[in-house]
Amino acid sequence: MNFQLFFLKEGSRYYEKADLITLLSSNSNITSPDLKDSFGKRVYRYHHTVLDFSADFIMTEKSVVPHLERLDPKYYDVDFYLEFDVLLSSYGVEILLDIVQEICQQFDFKVYCESFQYDVRNFKRTEVMKNFNYWKRAYADKHPEEIAKYNKLDSQTISYVYGYLQKKKRFELTYDPTKIQVSDYIFLAAEKSRSAFVAIRWNGERQFILPPVVDILILDDSKVKRFIPMSEVMMKAEKFFTPIETNVSKLDTKYVNKLHKILTKERFAPLNTELKNITIDKILDI
């Protein structure tokens, strides 16, 4: 199911359509439609290559606003709307709303969605997010069998994960990969539970970047493979890490061998369940 946000204009439906097309086309994540295949609507497809989610900014030749006749007649449909998966993470929606905000400011558009109860409104990010989350929760409650196919991380954790993923390329360009490991996230889940866990892998040989919200450190040095709670690692070795920016730190080079020794020799809470690898597209924040 898709969540739809419609754009309207007060007093007139006129606006510079060419300027809107220019704005959309200038976004590197948006692909312009093939006009030969438009068939009454032109879809400007947004795809976030790092976070792997999509949305459509759609221009139509006629109104598709639901119950348009019930809206205040001073608002005119401009035949343009945004559509995306109702299960999209809140973080992803916030990224899309950055574009919506720019569009509304430049073209003096108002917004409307079905949960506004026939009330066209000025764009307010918190208001749209509140209504999106209401719609999302209602969908999840109605379709628990679909939600059960996904694992879960809370919204704040996913925000930290997505934030790091967007910074990761910069870290890779900044640090020498032969000396510092820019950690990849690994996502894990237990049987008979929707809870997902965030992990990183370390071979014990060099410095590594420690991203935010890591639950498990996987030590894999070719001799031993241990799944160690990151909270317990930090209780013993927090001073080994230096912050490089908010919620991201790196292991100091002088502590590489010492940390490896701690992880191989000392006791940590055992893993009481079997974990399987999952992909980030199988994780929801609901």
Side-chain angles (χ1 to χ4, degrees):
M1 179 179 176
N2 288 323
F3 180 83
Q4 296 174 319
L5 188 67
F6 299 92
F7 297 90
L8 297 96
K9 191 173 175 66
E10 185 174 353
S12 169
R13 62 169 46 91
Y14 176 78
Y15 70 97
E16 291 289 350
K17 186 173 291 188
D19 290 350
L20 177 57
I21 292 172
T22 297
L23 187 154
L24 295 171
S25 302
S26 66
N27 189 306
S28 60
N29 289 326
I30 292 179
T31 302
S32 298
D34 184 342
L35 300 185
K36 295 179 181 178
D37 301 325
S38 61
F39 298 111
K41 69 178 184 179
R42 298 175 182 176
V43 179
Y44 291 80
R45 169 57 60 91
Y46 178 95
H47 182 73
H48 199 296
T49 54
V50 175
L51 306 184
D52 194 24
F53 72 87
S54 297
D56 292 330
F57 290 89
I58 303 173
M59 293 181 177
T60 63
E61 293 183 0
K62 60 181 180 179
S63 178
V64 294
V65 176
H67 310 295
L68 180 63
E69 72 282 357
R70 299 191 183 186
L71 305 185
D72 189 325
K74 72 179 181 180
Y75 297 110
Y76 290 79
D77 182 15
V78 297
D79 302 329
F80 177 58
Y81 65 101
L82 168 63
E83 181 175 87
F84 53 88
D85 193 326
V86 73
L87 295 179
L88 182 61
S89 70
S90 295
Y91 189 95
V93 177
E94 291 279 7
I95 291 175
L96 295 175
L97 292 187
D98 288 339
I99 304 173
V100 171
Q101 180 172 338
E102 184 178 6
I103 290 171
C104 288
Q105 289 175 343
Q106 182 168 334
F107 298 97
D108 196 26
F109 286 164
K110 313 300 181 183
V111 294
Y112 171 72
C113 66
E114 287 192 76
S115 56
F116 280 2
Q117 298 181 332
Y118 313 122
D119 183 19
V120 179
R121 305 178 186 180
N122 291 322
F123 171 75
K124 293 182 180 178
R125 180 184 296 265
T126 55
E127 200 170 59
V128 175
M129 285 301 304
K130 179 181 178 180
N131 280 270
F132 166 73
N133 286 326
Y134 169 81
W135 206 261
K136 182 177 183 177
R137 179 75 264 170
Y139 181 84
D141 290 343
K142 190 174 181 179
H143 301 277
E145 69 287 343
E146 181 178 349
I147 303 303
K149 297 175 183 178
Y150 293 86
N151 293 97
K152 180 182 178 181
L153 288 172
D154 64 75
S155 291
Q156 185 176 43
T157 297
I158 284 188
S159 293
Y160 281 126
V161 167
Y162 281 174
Y164 173 75
L165 290 176
Q166 292 190 94
K167 299 172 184 176
K168 185 170 173 286
K169 177 59 69 175
R170 172 163 56 84
F171 293 143
E172 290 171 343
L173 295 173
T174 301
Y175 295 104
D176 182 348
T178 64
K179 297 179 180 178
I180 298 180
Q181 166 191 308
V182 178
S183 300
D184 290 312
Y185 278 129
I186 299 168
F187 301 100
L188 304 168
E191 294 292 337
K192 301 180 181 180
S193 172
R194 287 191 62 226
S195 296
F197 301 94
V198 183
I200 59 171
R201 179 178 282 108
W202 184 47
N203 63 8
E205 296 178 357
R206 56 190 167 128
Q207 294 176 265
F208 66 89
I209 300 292
L210 176 60
V213 295
V214 173
D215 299 307
I216 299 170
L217 176 63
I218 304 173
L219 176 65
D220 190 357
D221 64 1
S222 74
K223 294 180 180 178
V224 63
K225 186 173 184 179
R226 299 186 73 184
F227 289 70
I228 305 170
M230 196 69 217
S231 59
E232 295 190 26
V233 174
M234 296 307 285
M235 286 177 62
K236 299 174 183 289
E238 185 173 4
K239 67 179 182 181
F240 297 177
F241 294 86
T242 299
I244 56 176
E245 60 177 68
T246 304
N247 299 310
V248 181
S249 57
K250 66 179 176 67
L251 175 64
D252 291 342
T253 186
K254 62 183 178 181
Y255 292 120
V256 170
N257 292 334
K258 190 169 184 178
L259 178 61
H260 183 248
K261 184 177 180 180
I262 289 174
L263 298 182
T264 54
K265 303 296 184 182
E266 295 197 19
R267 291 178 177 271
F268 294 93
L271 188 65
N272 294 320
T273 185
E274 185 175 346
L275 297 175
K276 62 179 181 179
N277 285 69
I278 57 174
T279 53
I280 194 171
D281 62 310
K282 296 298 182 183
I283 300 174
L284 299 177
D285 60 358
I286 191 170

